[in-house]
Amino acid sequence: MGPWSRVRAAKCQMLVTSFFVLLLGLSMATLAALTYFGAHFAVIGRASSDRTPYEAMHRWAFYVGISLAGLLTLGAILGAAATGFLCFALVFGALVQVAFWRFHNPTQVEDALLDAYDLVYDRAVKNLSGTPRQQLVAIQDTFLCCGKSSPFSLLGDVEAGLCRGEQAARQDCLVGIRSFLRTHRNIASTLTGIGLAAMVYAMLLSSFLWFAIRSGGSLDRKGKYTLSRRVPGCQPQEPSFFRRSQGSPKL
């Protein structure tokens, strides 16, 4: 396979990779939108105050997801012209940071969400007829759960009154929230892993194409020679070696 055949093959692979990166960016944007505007996260966000760790983490996850989606989309557009290396490198660095943070803080998101639910639950137990009660009911209807199991609860009768009838057959809300977060975490981890692999491959392709384009002139001239047009009235000059040989005295 010649040099330009390899370059053409790399260009085709870059186009396919750019399309895949574009789909990955759309997936990231969808996940970020569902994380911020989805019913499960939004219902707890409306019930919790702005000063809770959950709200800060909620906004942080949304902004990071949207930023990654924007960089992926820009990289896919520039990658089609073999100029998206910088965007791919930025996304790779950001995904490495996300994976590192996720590895060292595996339960931080879950703890923040459960703490927000506990806060709403405690307010509802103390005020059964006010807004906290309505917020708790909204959370339980969204997660299809009711109440929570706590061996240290001192308000057993009041808590038992929160789940009556068909609601009593629902699962524990702590279990339901953990199950939902596990599914969401698996999707996010899958996208992160795919993104890391795709960014490495895209950076290698874009680097190869960039160097191939810079050395494209020499590759194009390799093995080709250009004959200059002869000017009328001009005699072709012989090489200097032959001119010196003819001018030397004979022995």
Side-chain angles (χ1 to χ4, degrees), residues 131-148:
T131 302
R133 166 66 174 173
Q134 299 175 358
Q135 294 173 343
L136 179 63
V137 171
I139 294 174
Q140 294 179 157
D141 290 341
T142 303
F143 284 91
L144 297 179
C145 63
C146 189
K148 65 176 182 178

Side-chain angles (χ1 to χ4, degrees), residues 104-238:
H104 284 273
N105 301 277
T107 62
Q108 187 170 355
V109 176
E110 180 178 312
D111 292 341
L113 193 60
L114 293 178
D115 290 343
Y117 173 76
D118 287 338
L119 183 62
V120 176
Y121 185 84
D122 292 340
R123 291 203 305 257
V125 169
K126 297 176 182 178
N127 188 1
L128 294 177
S129 59
T131 302
R133 166 66 174 173
Q134 299 175 358
Q135 294 173 343
L136 179 63
V137 171
I139 294 174
Q140 294 179 157
D141 290 341
T142 303
F143 284 91
L144 297 179
C145 63
C146 189
K148 65 176 182 178
S149 300
S150 177
F152 303 102
S153 176
L154 300 177
L155 301 173
D157 295 337
V158 177
E159 293 179 355
L162 297 175
C163 300
R164 296 179 179 177
E166 297 180 355
Q167 294 182 349
R170 294 178 178 177
Q171 63 179 342
D172 188 335
C173 280
L174 299 181
V175 176
I177 292 174
R178 288 193 180 99
S179 177
F180 171 77
L181 288 178
R182 189 180 303 111
T183 302
H184 190 273
R185 183 172 60 247
N186 291 337
I187 296 174
S189 299
T190 301
L191 289 178
T192 302
I194 294 175
L196 287 172
M199 291 307 101
V200 172
Y201 188 66
M203 285 190 294
L204 291 176
L205 278 178
S206 59
S207 300
F208 172 77
L209 288 174
W210 186 80
F211 285 112
I213 290 173
R214 283 186 61 87
S215 60
S218 60
L219 288 175
D220 190 52
R221 292 192 301 268
K222 186 177 181 180
K224 297 182 179 180
Y225 303 92
T226 303
L227 297 177
S228 59
R229 186 177 180 181
R230 181 178 179 180
V231 180
C234 293
Q235 297 294 330
Q237 295 182 355
E238 295 179 349

